[in-house]
Amino acid sequence: MSGLSLWLSPAPTSPLAPFLARLSSTLQTVAFAPHATLVSDEIVPPLELKDLKSRLEEGVASWRASQAVGEQQPTEIALSFKDVRQGDRFYQCVLAALVPAPSLFALHEALLTAFSLPIPSPPTYFPHLSLIYADLTSEQKAQIIADLKLAGDVVDLEGAGEGEAGVKIVGEEGFVSTEVLLVRTRGKPEEWEVLARVPLGAAPILA
């Protein structure tokens, strides 16, 4: 495990960050920044920072080219919440599953290729945004989800079809990300550090 992860994160103005902060404070659980992991620290290779950034830029460029419509290349990626559910791991205690959009999987696979990692078949990637980090019982998780829905923080959307947002979280059906983050995820979440940011539609910006 390299202790390095690739993330998509909502904009700083998104209500998701204060919501997660409030949730961790209320439940006395671990605080962390909202994010959707693209490639986890279980498989990102432990390369030098220069090589990591170079490969990340290569993967993003490949994704942009694959998603181009005519000469127009994407500059952002929109992620939608599919549902809120229980997970079976500490870092996926309660989570919002993301709609498995083709553009999201294309970005994930472009990054795997750039880092010389195999692309599993069938795919094993589970896109999600964790809401709580904790070791809780199934009953505790179910109660938290029920309380969030009762409070109106989580609202199920009626008539949502396949490939569409199925739930709102603090009024948001998802979030838009404009960059891929290289994050050192070694140690406690409060010690995690963004090492580099690669915009989805422009030149790289150092953290």
Side-chain angles (χ1 to χ4, degrees), residues 2-50:
S2 68
L4 298 164
S5 302
L6 304 180
W7 287 4
L8 292 172
S9 293
T13 55
S14 167
L16 291 168
F19 169 63
L20 263 61
R22 172 166 58 86
L23 200 55
S24 64
S25 176
T26 300
L27 298 173
Q28 293 297 291
T29 54
V30 177
F32 58 95
H35 63 277
T37 299
L38 279 166
V39 185
S40 76
D41 59 9
E42 295 176 349
I43 59 174
V44 173
L47 305 174
E48 295 292 329
L49 181 57
K50 180 180 178 181

Side-chain angles (χ1 to χ4, degrees), residues 79-102:
L79 309 178
S80 300
F81 299 131
K82 183 178 181 181
D83 57 47
V84 171
R85 65 178 77 169
Q86 301 183 28
D88 57 5
R89 303 171 64 182
F90 178 87
Y91 292 110
Q92 297 179 14
C93 179
V94 175
L95 59 91
L98 297 173
V99 173

Side-chain angles (χ1 to χ4, degrees), residues 79-140:
L79 309 178
S80 300
F81 299 131
K82 183 178 181 181
D83 57 47
V84 171
R85 65 178 77 169
Q86 301 183 28
D88 57 5
R89 303 171 64 182
F90 178 87
Y91 292 110
Q92 297 179 14
C93 179
V94 175
L95 59 91
L98 297 173
V99 173
S103 60
L104 176 57
F105 273 76
L107 179 55
H108 166 70
E109 292 181 359
L111 293 171
L112 291 182
T113 299
F115 282 90
S116 302
L117 298 168
I119 298 175
S121 182
T124 57
Y125 179 48
F126 172 48
H128 67 279
L129 182 139
S130 291
L131 302 180
I132 297 172
Y133 287 174
D135 286 318
L136 303 176
T137 66
S138 179
E139 291 76 13
Q140 288 173 315

Side-chain angles (χ1 to χ4, degrees), residues 36 76 91 132 156 163 182 184 191-192 196:
E76 61 186 31
Y91 292 110
I132 297 172
D156 292 320
L182 171 65
R184 179 180 285 120
E191 300 171 337
W192 293 352

